Amino acid sequence: MAEMPFPERNEEVRIEPEGLDGLLGIPDGATGIVIFAHGSGSGRLSPRNNHVAAALRRAGLGTFLLDLLTQNEERDRRNVFDIDLLASRLTLATGWIGDNPRTSGLVPSYFGASTGAAAALTAASHLGSSIAAVVSRGGRPDLAINVLPDVRAPTLLLVGSLDGPVIEMNQRAYDALKTEKQLFIIPGASHLFEEPGTLDEVVRHATDWFNAHLRPPTPPQQG
């Protein structure tokens, strides 16, 4: 059977009054949405996160790529590493998704990269079971170490095998998490997953994780 096409329908949106710009994409039939938390120096136009987001939309998931800081805020480098500020913006975006008539029925989850992973896990620790899943790509979840025991969302940590120090940071975070969790090391990948095929491995693992937790389980067949 041919795969059903999912229209991109990627559109620019803005969350006021903060003035946060985002890219919202909702394929037909979506039941869940993945909200992206970018790392330092990155935003909604990140080519790597857009690559992942496009693949998630093809898998039938909605995506929301958001600038967690305004342009003025980005000029102060302290804001880029202010995990609590970034997490508050992610919480704001989650509320916006829930209040928007077009997206209110979608189950929210987070995809965080670098420092964005810490922001995603911090926000998830505050929002409890309302966040269905979290995926971290080359993340710094250790920056949220104090709140990790409070995270209820099933969490997947993806790290490149060439990213030595970050592997250790993710191992500490993995040990601190008390929810359903998995740490997967992608062979031959560095911190930015620039090596051929490594980002596609991120896509595969992330898609499987979100699909497992954003959709109701298939009832067993009778017979």
Side-chain angles (χ1 to χ4, degrees):
M1 181 181 295
E3 183 179 355
M4 289 182 63
F6 290 95
E8 286 290 314
R9 297 184 183 174
N10 220 19
E11 61 180 276
E12 291 270 2
V13 299
R14 173 168 286 193
I15 297 179
E16 300 292 4
E18 285 77 5
L20 304 178
D21 292 319
L23 286 171
L24 181 66
I26 309 171
D28 291 340
T31 58
I33 187 165
V34 180
I35 305 170
F36 282 71
H38 310 286
S40 58
S42 186
R44 72 190 189 284
L45 302 180
S46 160
R48 292 177 187 84
N49 281 347
N50 272 278
H51 177 85
V52 174
L56 292 177
R57 290 193 297 274
R58 288 193 294 272
L61 296 168
T63 61
F64 190 30
L65 297 105
L66 181 72
D67 292 344
L68 299 179
L69 298 172
T70 65
Q71 290 185 355
N72 285 336
E73 289 170 336
E74 287 176 349
R75 295 190 181 100
D76 186 343
R77 292 296 292 174
R78 292 173 296 182
N79 290 330
V80 174
F81 297 97
D82 187 336
I83 302 303
D84 288 335
L85 172 61
L86 299 177
S88 71
R89 296 294 173 77
L90 201 53
T91 301
L92 179 71
T94 308
W96 184 90
I97 290 291
D99 292 338
N100 188 320
R102 292 182 52 214
T103 56
S104 60
L106 301 179
V107 179
S109 62
Y110 293 146
F111 182 99
S114 190
T115 52
L121 287 163
T122 300
S125 75
H126 298 320
L127 296 174
S129 58
S130 64
I131 302 302
V134 176
V135 173
S136 163
R137 170 183 67 82
R140 290 293 311 277
D142 57 298
L143 295 176
I145 198 79
N146 291 335
V147 301
L148 293 185
D150 299 325
V151 174
R152 296 291 171 263
T155 300
L156 172 64
L157 306 174
L158 299 174
V159 191
S161 66
L162 306 180
D163 202 6
V166 175
I167 293 176
E168 297 176 9
M169 296 166 185
N170 276 258
Q171 185 62 63
R172 290 201 301 272
Y174 178 86
D175 293 340
L177 286 163
K178 305 304 180 186
T179 186
E180 180 184 347
K181 58 189 177 180
Q182 184 174 348
L183 170 61
F184 191 86
I185 298 175
I186 295 180
S190 60
H191 184 62
L192 295 178
F193 294 85
E194 296 175 303
E195 296 75 17
T198 57
L199 196 57
D200 290 328
E201 282 296 292
V202 170
V203 166
R204 182 170 67 86
H205 288 290
T207 301
D208 289 346
W209 192 259
F210 287 130
N211 277 335
H213 296 97
L214 282 174
R215 293 176 176 173
T218 302
Q221 293 184 349
Q222 302 295 321

